[in-house]
Amino acid sequence: MGGEAQNPRFSMGHATKLAPYRVIFVYMACFIFITVLIRSENDQLLGGSGVTASPFVLAIESAIILYVSSILNAGIMCGILAISAESIYLSSRILRTMAVQRLIPIWIAQVDRRGRPVRSLVITCLSAVVLTYINMSGPSPPGGVVALNWFVSITSASFFIDWMIVAFTSWRFHKTLAAQNDPLFSGLYAWKSSMWPLAPVWLMSICVLLLICCFYVGANPPGSTGTTANNFFPYTIGIILIFSMTAAYKLIFRTPFRDPKTADLLTGRRNLTPEDIEQLDAYYRLPTWRRFLTYVKLW
């Protein structure tokens, strides 16, 4: 996403600083209020489907506020559409990056005159249509929902493993900068994570805990009397596939681990342009309260 921003130094710095506060003050506040308003053993919460199982809708309905639940349902649908658009955006860009690195056929990397990766967008959208069709094909075995649940099991595990990779990459990146005495963080308007390496250490710790929980729940599933393949693999198949595929790739292609002293730190580096510096100069000349408002504006 930063590569397509007009000024990545400004946009990514803003996004990075804003994310923790959004998680703490928006999402965590919502969780606290929902736990106060909805009982954990609510039958609709545990046995409902779609938006009827949403704790936000249940909270509104229990308060007997007319029409608000319908408005909230519409908001949930808009949120789902936004997440879908974001997923298509990220997936298509990942596909293009893989094509540029020759991990998949290079023709997928083609872009149009406005820089949009059309071919990777088409592949992503077609995959989304196929998965939607599978989900709508029927819930009963051997229905499509069963097959889709296995795909979801794979992607659920890969989600926090991706964050483990982010934490490990952050640590290796800093080690490489130190090994090569790279002046990246001493440049003009250079941005560096505060209290590093607290963030990657905390992130890695949480992800390892989730990894352990996946194996524990798979071996001792809730409400089950023993460990079976149907119980164990839905929780762990994604982890097994990712680690086995990574090991197979390293063995087959014999790709070496990068030495921090010789790793490439220059390819793809984008230095600040005069326009970028001018924008940042204007931003930092603003008073503190004006800079704060750039984080909370809704337009």
Side-chain angles (χ1 to χ4, degrees):
M1 291 187 290
E4 297 187 30
Q6 184 176 3
N7 188 340
R9 169 60 186 85
F10 178 82
S11 302
M12 297 306 293
H14 260 56
T16 305
K17 292 178 182 177
L18 188 59
Y21 296 101
R22 290 177 60 185
V23 171
I24 294 172
F25 293 108
V26 178
Y27 299 115
M28 295 305 296
C30 290
F31 292 153
I32 291 172
F33 283 117
I34 288 301
T35 55
V36 172
L37 296 173
I38 302 294
R39 296 177 64 88
S40 60
E41 65 269 17
N42 188 295
D43 293 335
Q44 290 179 283
L45 182 65
L46 299 176
S49 61
V51 294
T52 60
S54 169
F56 298 97
V57 175
L58 295 177
I60 295 296
E61 290 180 344
S62 63
I64 318 178
I65 303 177
L66 299 177
Y67 308 117
V68 177
S69 60
S70 298
I71 297 174
L72 192 58
N73 283 337
I76 292 173
M77 295 302 296
C78 292
I80 293 173
L81 291 175
I83 294 173
S84 301
E86 179 185 0
S87 300
I88 291 175
Y89 176 91
L90 293 175
S91 301
S92 61
R93 270 59 182 182
I94 291 172
L95 275 179
R96 185 182 183 278
T97 301
M98 294 175 65
V100 170
Q101 295 177 354
R102 304 301 178 95
L103 298 175
I104 56 177
I106 187 63
W107 59 266
I108 297 177
Q110 182 178 351
V111 299
D112 62 9
R113 289 180 296 179
R114 300 184 64 180
R116 294 171 296 194
V118 178
R119 293 183 176 179
S120 59
L121 277 170
V122 171
I123 294 173
T124 303
C125 292
L126 289 177
S127 301
V129 170
V130 171
L131 291 174
T132 303
Y133 177 79
I134 291 174
N135 185 42
M136 299 295 292
S137 63
S140 59
V145 174
V146 177
L148 186 67
N149 286 339
W150 283 100
F151 283 115
V152 171
S153 299
I154 296 173
T155 56
S156 297
S158 65
F159 178 76
F160 62 84
I161 290 179
D162 287 343
W163 284 110
M164 292 176 66
I165 295 173
V166 169
F168 179 76
T169 303
S170 174
W171 178 74
R172 291 284 291 176
F173 178 64
H174 281 75
K175 295 289 287 185
T176 303
L177 289 174
Q180 299 184 20
N181 294 318
D182 193 290
L184 177 65
F185 291 130
S186 60
L188 181 64
Y189 291 123
W191 184 88
K192 184 177 181 180
S193 174
S194 59
M195 295 185 292
W196 191 92
L198 177 61
V201 169
W202 174 257
L203 181 60
M204 180 65 76
S205 301
I206 295 297
C207 291
V208 171
L209 177 61
L210 290 173
L211 192 70
I212 296 172
C213 290
C214 280
F215 280 98
Y216 177 81
V217 174
N220 300 278
S224 178
T225 56
T227 303
T228 64
N230 287 333
N231 293 332
F232 181 76
F233 285 108
Y235 292 100
T236 60
I237 186 172
I239 302 170
I240 295 172
L241 280 176
I242 291 171
F243 282 101
S244 61
M245 291 294 182
T246 302
Y249 177 84
K250 299 295 287 186
L251 290 173
I252 293 173
F253 293 97
R254 300 184 182 278
T255 55
F257 290 97
R258 301 297 181 184
D259 185 352
K261 295 181 179 179
T262 58
D264 183 9
L265 289 175
L266 299 178
T267 301
R269 180 180 293 191
R270 179 179 182 271
N271 295 320
L272 291 176
T273 64
E275 292 78 13
D276 294 338
I277 296 174
E278 182 180 356
Q279 180 184 359
L280 291 167
D281 285 340
Y283 172 74
Y284 284 105
R285 282 196 300 265
L286 295 174
T288 304
W289 67 272
R290 287 287 303 277
R291 294 203 302 267
F292 173 77
L293 289 180
T294 62
Y295 288 92
V296 298
K297 67 180 183 179
L298 301 177
W299 59 91

